[in-house]
Amino acid sequence: MTIRLLVMDVDGTLTDGRICIGPDGEMMKTFNCKDGYGIKHLLPEAGITPMIITGRESRILERRAAELGVTELHQGIHDKLPLLRRLMDERGLTSAEVSYIGDDLNDLEAIRFVGLSGCPADSAQGIIDVVDYVCRRDGGRGAVREFIEHMIRLNQSSEER
């Protein structure tokens, strides 16, 4: 089965997990440009839709998602699996057509549900123990790009069969 949807966590996955907070709230997050290129260019070329589901809410993330063309941004979601199931049903997707990359225990249910799962190298051990693919790179340091490239290779090899 071909992967058609990539769901990504943010803090610790698309970022290194650090959150800079000033007196007026969140001030800064650091994103990786290689991850961004993979999301903006490689995924659409491969026919894979990017989606973000995150527990935090951030205007910074809204801006980054818009830059990358990610129109499926769901923030403030602490129980991610029910939303993921609903969105899959709306799109007529099976779990085998969905991949997920996350780094911590709040991602565990979704990771177990999808057809292909991955995590950054510096993820919580409880995640590393159950995913299909553990990236060599840390969160916010190219792990998402690495996972995207892995996913595209798998899609291409399944199409050749």
Side-chain angles (χ1 to χ4, degrees), residues 104-133:
D104 217 331
L105 298 178
N106 61 330
D107 300 305
L108 186 58
E109 285 186 323
I111 282 171
R112 286 185 169 152
F113 181 73
V114 299
L116 177 67
S117 59
C119 72
D122 60 341
S123 296
Q125 191 63 47
I127 298 300
I128 290 172
D129 291 342
V130 299
V131 295
D132 301 308
Y133 184 82

Side-chain angles (χ1 to χ4, degrees), residues 33-120:
C33 64
K34 290 179 179 75
D35 290 342
Y37 187 89
I39 294 165
K40 185 170 184 159
H41 298 286
L42 300 181
L43 288 177
E45 290 170 11
I48 301 168
T49 301
M51 178 184 290
I52 294 172
I53 302 177
T54 182
R56 292 182 54 84
E57 294 190 35
S58 167
R59 292 188 58 206
I60 295 167
L61 178 58
E62 290 172 12
R63 181 171 179 176
R64 183 62 174 154
E67 287 176 356
L68 299 178
V70 177
T71 58
E72 288 286 338
L73 172 60
H74 304 276
Q75 299 191 77
I77 308 299
H78 301 287
D79 191 2
K80 298 178 181 185
L81 184 56
L83 173 65
L84 178 56
R85 283 179 184 231
R86 182 175 57 90
L87 295 170
M88 287 170 54
D89 286 346
E90 289 172 5
R91 289 157 182 76
L93 296 174
T94 67
S95 60
E97 296 172 298
V98 179
S99 63
Y100 190 103
I101 183 167
D103 71 304
D104 217 331
L105 298 178
N106 61 330
D107 300 305
L108 186 58
E109 285 186 323
I111 282 171
R112 286 185 169 152
F113 181 73
V114 299
L116 177 67
S117 59
C119 72

